[in-house]
Amino acid sequence: MIIGVGIDVAEIERFGAALERTPGMADRLFVADELLLPGGERRGIASLAARFAAKEALAKALGAPGGLRWTDAEVFVEESGQPRVRVSGTVADRAAALGVRTWHVSLSHDAGVASAVVIAEG
């Protein structure tokens, strides 16, 4: 059963400018592994913007409650290339209260916009 669906978009250039303008913002939004590619290089702005959109979409799928911590949701990619989300803390608590057992995530970025869709399934 679908418990919630969220979608969000982020303008890549604007998101990149916000990261440059606000020291420490990336550390407040992302866990360390999200900032790096599997080879250890720094992840590009378009990819980070898509992950940010996924976190916003995830919050919407949970009903957009206050008090969720950005770093309590981690977007990662399986070896197959499929994006996934791992939740902990505040996000895991809200998901458990709603009966979420499975997450479905889709990420995209093109033409200066990053987007994400998240489906919470129980």
Side-chain angles (χ1 to χ4, degrees):
M1 174 174 80
I2 293 176
I3 293 172
V5 177
I7 184 170
D8 196 70
V9 298
E11 185 182 344
I12 296 168
E13 187 175 319
R14 182 176 173 205
F15 183 75
L19 287 178
E20 285 183 24
R21 187 175 56 246
T22 310
M25 182 176 171
D27 293 330
R28 289 192 304 271
L29 295 176
F30 304 107
V31 300
D33 286 346
E34 288 176 300
L35 296 172
L36 301 175
L37 293 168
E41 310 87 43
R42 182 130 173 116
R43 188 174 296 281
I45 296 301
S47 180
L48 289 176
R51 280 158 173 69
F52 175 72
K55 292 178 183 222
E56 287 276 2
L58 184 146
K60 291 173 183 177
L62 294 176
L68 298 181
R69 293 190 50 185
W70 294 107
T71 54
D72 286 348
E74 177 186 357
V75 179
F76 67 98
V77 178
E78 292 185 338
E79 283 189 28
S80 66
Q82 183 177 7
R84 292 284 191 191
V85 65
R86 183 178 298 122
V87 299
S88 62
T90 59
V91 177
D93 291 345
R94 175 66 177 177
L98 294 173
V100 177
R101 291 181 298 164
T102 305
W103 299 98
H104 304 277
V105 182
S106 181
L107 307 174
S108 186
H109 46 80
D110 189 29
V113 176
S115 62
V117 174
V118 173
I119 299 171
E121 182 180 0

